Amino acid sequence: GLPKAIPRTHEDYLCNVKFLHDAGEMSNDDVCLLAVPVGHNLALLNVVGAALVGYKIVLLDSTWPEDLCRTIEAERVTYFPTVPSLLKRILEFEKLDDYDLRSLKKISAGGEATTPDLVERVRQRLHAAYITEFGMSEGPLCRTRLNDDLKTVCGSVGKPICPDDEFRILDDAGRALPPETDGELAARGPGIFAGYLKNPEENQRAFTTDGFFRTGDLARFDRSGNVTITGRIKDMINRGGEKISPAQVEKLLLAHPDIADAAVIGMPDRALGEKVCAYLRPAAGKNPTPDEIAAFMTAKGASKLLLPERFEFVDVLPLTEAGKHDKKALREEIKRKLEQPE
């Protein structure tokens, strides 16, 4: 669709930066490596943070594992904000042990699901603390804390960073939902933007009558106030009227030891509207079969509705500039494949 301009003020953005870096316990002794586009919010929060807190910032225009490892070693990087896809590249790098990465103390990652296996590998291979986070250019920010347990880090995106921001989970009518109930994540407060630039139609849709910004993300609170992102409303797969969350299917798939990465999309179907399609990148030297994967998912408690009806095994999953799975490209590819004769 058309780009939406997101005006930010000095006050709401500095609110984001201050509390984000308080939660990450950043100091002027830190060295931060950025290997994502500087115009993206993930990077920009740290560019401004470097000025506010006083730590060193290192910009890298490569996402190749060797370049990342070489830079971490040479610059004595202590903090690496990134996305899970890049972490997986580093952990699978065959020359990882050739580099001295002992300076690395903290890694934060968001934009995609974090699995227990990924956190454990980061802790064992990189000896760094893992922070799971969620953020938007519009202002809502959550992250786990350095002292959170493994269950919280793997199963949630932590708590809102700003103590004065209000977060709610809303039903379709805009009513607040109780903990452990899925709905749309919404937020208002000093860290949240005031509205899209010259776009009254979008602002009317995006904000509730009492000023809460609708994020478009499906989420729930646990009893401790941690937020779990369960999907993206526009990415939900509608299979004959049944709504399926790609994130839920991906989490099950990524628990399989022979699967290194997974992206789940809806593929067109004449009878049901959409069916579940899983693009999988097998782990090195592994060759899982659809039947084996389905049996594994079933053993994990997955209903038949969550089992992908088509598997595509690939060597590389396409990524956006922000390092997330490019699901638009995957949807276009599977559409072309379905249009081809058997």
Side-chain angles (χ1 to χ4, degrees):
L2 291 172
K4 292 177 291 194
I6 304 171
R8 299 300 301 267
T9 68
H10 288 77
E11 293 214 352
D12 67 42
Y13 209 73
L14 286 173
C15 176
N16 278 178
V17 173
K18 170 181 165 43
F19 288 108
L20 181 75
H21 289 79
D22 284 352
E25 300 181 18
M26 295 293 286
S27 75
N28 58 7
D29 294 325
D30 278 301
V31 179
C32 172
L33 171 62
L34 293 178
V36 293
V38 174
H40 284 261
N41 199 42
L42 184 153
L44 194 57
L45 285 165
N46 287 284
V47 173
V48 180
L52 186 69
V53 179
Y55 56 80
K56 178 179 177 179
I57 194 165
V58 179
L59 303 178
L60 183 65
D61 62 357
S62 170
T63 56
W64 290 107
E66 188 166 8
D67 294 333
L68 291 164
C69 291
R70 184 187 301 115
T71 304
I72 292 170
E73 180 182 71
E75 300 288 346
R76 311 307 298 159
V77 170
T78 65
Y79 174 53
F80 183 34
T82 185
V83 292
S85 299
L86 293 188
L87 284 178
K88 291 171 187 174
R89 287 186 186 180
I90 293 173
L91 292 167
E92 293 168 4
F93 181 40
E94 64 274 9
K95 297 182 181 179
L96 178 61
D97 293 332
D98 293 349
Y99 293 88
D100 181 1
L101 308 182
R102 288 176 295 176
S103 63
L104 197 56
K105 305 299 181 188
K106 298 171 284 193
I107 291 174
S108 65
E112 295 171 339
T114 288
T115 62
D117 174 67
L118 180 60
V119 176
E120 287 290 358
R121 290 165 66 198
V122 165
R123 291 177 173 182
Q124 292 172 6
R125 297 293 307 278
L126 302 178
H127 306 290
Y130 193 106
I131 300 167
T132 306
E133 60 187 8
F134 164 84
M136 302 178 69
S137 298
E138 289 88 344
L141 283 175
C142 298
R143 66 165 27 183
T144 58
R145 279 32 173 197
L146 291 172
N147 61 352
D148 279 338
D149 58 26
L150 183 62
K151 181 180 178 181
T152 301
V153 172
C154 298
S156 78
V157 292
K159 295 182 174 69
I161 58 158
C162 175
D164 295 315
D165 282 347
E166 300 175 75
F167 279 61
R168 287 182 182 175
I169 306 296
L170 305 179
D171 64 12
D172 292 340
R175 296 183 293 257
L177 294 169
E180 309 295 350
T181 308
D182 283 13
E184 183 175 12
L185 182 66
R188 72 177 179 187
I192 314 301
F193 86 135
Y196 297 106
L197 180 67
K198 298 180 181 178
N199 200 337
E201 296 84 3
E202 183 64 24
N203 288 332
Q204 187 173 9
R205 185 209 65 78
F207 287 86
T208 64
T209 54
D210 52 353
F212 279 83
F213 168 64
R214 294 178 173 272
T215 65
D217 287 286
L218 292 170
R220 71 168 72 100
F221 284 119
D222 66 16
R223 299 289 175 182
S224 300
N226 294 298
V227 178
T228 296
I229 304 297
T230 56
R232 184 83 182 145
I233 290 176
K234 68 179 182 180
D235 288 340
M236 294 293 282
I237 299 169
N238 188 344
R239 185 189 186 279
E242 294 284 353
K243 302 298 193 297
I244 301 167
S245 167
Q248 186 179 6
V249 181
E250 289 165 356
K251 188 173 183 178
L252 285 163
L253 290 167
L254 290 169
H256 195 295
D258 293 347
I259 296 174
D261 206 357
V264 172
I265 58 171
M267 62 180 179
D269 182 77
R270 289 183 180 179
L272 296 171
E274 287 185 306
K275 287 184 176 180
V276 181
C277 175
Y279 274 81
L280 304 177
R281 180 169 64 84
K286 303 297 183 180
N287 188 29
T289 67
D291 288 344
E292 290 171 351
I293 296 168
F296 174 85
M297 294 176 69
T298 301
K300 287 284 186 179
S303 70
K304 289 185 177 180
L305 198 64
L306 298 181
L307 301 181
E309 289 157 289
R310 179 168 178 143
F311 293 89
E312 293 286 328
F313 295 94
V314 296
D315 294 328
V316 177
L317 281 168
L319 302 178
T320 65
E321 283 188 357
K324 300 178 183 180
H325 292 138
D326 192 342
K327 293 192 174 182
K328 181 180 178 181
L330 294 177
R331 282 191 287 265
E332 291 173 352
E333 178 181 303
I334 198 64
K335 184 179 178 181
R336 287 194 300 269
K337 288 189 175 184
L338 292 170
E339 290 172 350
Q340 295 172 358
E342 290 292 340

